[in-house]
Amino acid sequence: MAVELINPDGLPKPEMYRQMSVATGSRLVFLAGQVARDAEGNPVGAGDLAAQVEQAYVNIGTALAGIGGSFDDVAKLTVYVVDWSTDKLPLLGEGVARAAARLGVDPVKPITLLGVAALGEPDLLVEVEATAVVD
């Protein structure tokens, strides 16, 4: 495995993410932000944050599979959520859990969560970008 996930001593140990990843693979992958679009570019989950999160995570897994990797190779995620508030956390978690089940992976990664006013298209509620390290 090219990525080891760690919660170092001296820092909080959150359940939903890890504080750090240590990558030792040979290829560094920077994936553009993924949104709720299927392979044909059709919108997925209109107005449904959980469905959009699920699709974005699945798209990350699909992209990495295309180069011989998997979601397990993700070293860091940045998640942009339109009009973020803490009441959206359960929907975010639901979408992540559904994607993890579909992909058969542990979705817990170092993550930065940012609230934004808008994304590139008006129907988008979330965008997720990934950095991965693949052997």
Side-chain angles (χ1 to χ4, degrees):
M1 180 63 75
V3 178
E4 177 185 7
L5 302 172
I6 302 169
N7 271 330
D9 290 338
L11 293 177
K13 299 192 178 6
E15 291 182 28
M16 295 186 64
Y17 66 94
R18 296 297 174 261
Q19 296 284 5
M20 176 187 308
S21 63
V22 178
T24 57
S26 59
R27 293 188 294 162
L28 191 56
V29 179
F30 299 94
L31 184 59
Q34 296 299 300
V35 297
R37 298 288 186 263
D38 65 16
E40 290 76 39
N42 299 311
V44 174
D48 183 343
L49 180 60
Q52 290 198 17
V53 169
E54 177 183 5
Q55 186 65 45
Y57 270 61
V58 167
N59 288 351
I60 291 168
T62 300
L64 291 171
I67 60 163
S70 75
F71 196 90
D72 287 329
D73 296 313
V74 171
K76 169 87 171 53
L77 295 167
T78 303
V79 178
Y80 303 89
V81 180
V82 174
D83 296 325
W84 172 256
S85 62
T86 55
D87 64 315
K88 292 182 180 180
L89 190 57
L91 293 171
L92 180 66
E94 178 185 334
V96 170
R98 291 188 337 213
R102 282 179 62 185
L103 295 168
V105 299
D106 180 352
V108 176
K109 307 287 181 182
I111 185 172
T112 299
L113 175 62
L114 299 168
V116 296
L119 292 167
E121 297 177 42
D123 66 310
L124 297 174
L125 302 176
V126 66
E127 185 167 337
V128 184
E129 63 182 26
T131 301
V133 179
V134 180
D135 282 325

